[in-house]
Amino acid sequence: MPADRVLPTEETADLLRLVRHLATTELAPAVARAEAEEDFPREVFRLLGRAGVLGLPYPEEVGGGGVSYEVYLQVLEELAAVWASVGVGVSVHALSCFGLFTRGTEEQKAWLPDMLGGEQLGAYCLSEAHAGSDPAAMRTTARRDGDHYVLDGAKAWTTHGGHADFYKVMARTADDRNGISCFLVPADSEGLLADPPERKMGLTGSATATMRFDGVRVPVERRLGEEGDGLKIALAGLDSGRLGIAAVATGLAQGALDHALAYARERETFGRRIIDHQGLGFVLADMEAAVQSARATTLAAARLRDLGRPFSRAASVAKLVATDQAMKVTTDAVQVLGGAGYTRDFPVERYMREAKVMQIFEGTNQIQRMVIARGLDARGSGEISHV
């Protein structure tokens, strides 16, 4: 039961139909094996790059698709409804290109077409083992040495770690808390190594690894922005990244609902389909309400972004609502299937495992509540404009 969508043009409706077709014909047949074998689907990202999906929210003049965030997030939903690891990967790749697009020089932006076209897959290095929710506590350093910087340290929880072609890296260039700069580091840089991937509860088709920087030399021209701009670049990108994860969580919840509904229409107990039993019917109704509320909240935040209005608080609301609802919906999907839902014969147990991490990455939901509360306080004191 694909989601009903209201799209701004017939062209964007065609885009969603194309993505749904790719998800059905290319992703769906591969997902179960890849997730079971923890196999990173690099060729899927090349396929999506050639189809123009990886660069959708960026302008056409830099190799992107030029679509609104409202449309782009619905594309992420369609992907995640079938394969959450791929949805997360597309969102992370878009985030890894964000600093270059917003703060890069004209010479640096010449790198964007290959990145947005999928020939180069990106990763994002911000967190460290002791610096997750508090990125300003990072210890990875970048020391200036002539026309290069020398990077030393380790970055944890790197999506695409060991598979990416470039890494957007935040590293300390000064001792003060905000003395952090941003670098675009090629994967083949000498001294850059990936640890074995983390053994995760879910998203096992998405490689997550610690990246180690041992005297990695990075040319000065690969620094984005000025020294000390790194934390600003990172936090500006995270607002958009949170919308991406909200969309992935919504798609995941939609996929779980679709499987639960199909099962409830076919499975019979006491001579009736289980959807006809009020107890199960109400569970499915609550799941539908949860998915629709997550989608509406996420797209409302996207529209603010598209209008150029402040959307940080709205992005945190969307990330909080969508990921909490995804956890609930996927848990209920397992319940609808009963004992069958607890087996790997059906994908809902995988959806439930995948939903958990969405309440954690791109800022835990406790951090989102902090952001929302601060935004409310600022609004109450008149510091946030209506424009």
Side-chain angles (χ1 to χ4, degrees):
M1 188 187 70
D4 291 329
R5 301 192 183 280
V6 178
L7 294 161
T9 66
E10 186 59 29
E11 184 179 17
T12 55
D14 287 341
L15 170 64
L16 267 291
R17 292 187 193 103
L18 169 64
V19 172
R20 187 175 291 173
H21 175 74
L22 287 173
T24 301
T25 60
E26 301 291 339
L27 274 61
V31 57
R33 181 202 59 79
E35 290 293 325
E37 298 178 6
E38 302 187 12
D39 184 18
F40 181 73
R42 181 64 178 92
E43 287 305 314
V44 169
F45 291 102
R46 289 193 178 92
L47 171 67
L48 294 176
R50 290 192 294 268
V53 173
L54 294 187
L56 283 175
Y58 290 93
E60 294 179 4
E61 56 265 29
V62 295
V67 306
S68 67
Y69 239 70
E70 181 180 2
V71 172
Y72 164 64
L73 294 183
Q74 294 183 78
V75 167
L76 284 184
E77 265 197 62
E78 292 287 342
L79 296 172
V82 174
W83 197 344
S85 289
V86 171
V88 168
V90 173
S91 180
V92 167
H93 178 77
L95 181 60
S96 70
C97 298
F98 184 83
L100 177 58
F101 174 69
T102 57
R103 300 299 295 271
T105 64
E106 290 306 309
E107 292 79 6
Q108 290 172 331
K109 287 182 180 179
W111 306 332
L112 272 170
D114 278 350
M115 294 161 63
L116 297 178
E119 292 305 311
Q120 299 229 332
L121 185 66
Y124 184 79
C125 296
L126 176 62
S127 295
E128 298 181 6
H130 53 276
S133 295
D134 182 13
M138 71 176 62
R139 297 172 188 167
T140 296
T141 60
R143 174 178 55 83
R144 184 73 179 260
D145 180 24
D147 58 357
H148 285 73
Y149 286 88
V150 181
L151 273 62
D152 288 284
K155 290 293 182 177
W157 310 113
T158 304
T159 300
H160 302 161
H163 294 273
D165 299 293
F166 67 90
Y167 295 85
K168 179 181 175 183
V169 182
M170 309 301 162
R172 183 166 297 286
T173 48
D175 290 336
D176 61 285
R177 182 170 173 82
N178 294 322
I180 293 165
S181 301
C182 180
F183 303 89
L184 205 63
V185 182
D188 60 0
S189 300
E190 187 175 352
L192 176 57
L193 299 170
D195 281 357
E198 304 289 350
R199 300 179 64 192
K200 306 193 302 289
M201 175 190 292
L203 296 180
T204 50
S206 174
T208 306
T210 292
M211 299 302 301
R212 299 196 178 274
F213 299 80
D214 184 9
V216 175
R217 296 184 67 82
V218 180
V220 170
E221 58 265 26
R222 284 192 169 269
R223 186 192 70 216
L224 302 181
E226 300 299 322
E227 280 198 8
D229 285 348
L231 204 55
K232 295 177 184 177
I233 293 171
L235 296 179
L238 283 179
D239 285 338
S240 297
R242 285 166 180 164
L243 289 184
I245 295 306
V248 171
T250 302
L252 180 67
Q254 181 71 61
L257 171 59
D258 292 345
H259 281 284
L261 179 60
Y263 186 86
R265 283 171 164 169
E266 296 176 1
R267 172 76 165 143
E268 291 187 0
T269 61
F270 305 105
R272 302 169 65 192
R273 301 179 307 164
I274 64 173
I275 194 173
D276 295 324
H277 294 284
Q278 189 178 77
L280 263 295
F282 282 7
V283 171
L284 290 162
D286 286 344
M287 292 166 69
E288 169 71 358
V291 172
Q292 288 207 27
S293 64
R295 179 175 297 119
T297 304
T298 300
L299 296 183
R303 285 190 283 272
L304 288 177
R305 186 189 190 281
D306 289 336
L307 290 169
R309 294 176 57 176
F311 71 100
S312 180
R313 177 164 48 87
S316 287
V317 170
K319 198 271 184 182
L320 171 66
V321 169
T323 59
D324 279 355
Q325 297 288 35
M327 191 73 251
K328 181 181 185 303
V329 169
T330 56
T331 302
D332 285 346
V334 172
Q335 190 71 22
V336 169
L337 270 69
Y342 197 65
T343 72
R344 296 189 179 183
D345 295 334
F346 294 86
V348 292
E349 62 83 27
R350 171 167 56 83
Y351 286 4
M352 180 179 171
R353 290 186 285 107
E354 291 169 339
K356 182 62 231 177
V357 74
M358 296 184 193
Q359 297 176 301
I360 298 172
F361 58 17
E362 294 289 357
T364 68
N365 283 5
Q366 287 69 37
I367 290 293
Q368 305 315 315
R369 288 176 170 89
M370 290 172 57
V371 173
I372 295 164
R374 289 170 183 169
L376 289 172
D377 185 42
R379 184 181 68 179
S381 61
E383 295 176 11
I384 295 181
S385 170
H386 68 285
V387 179

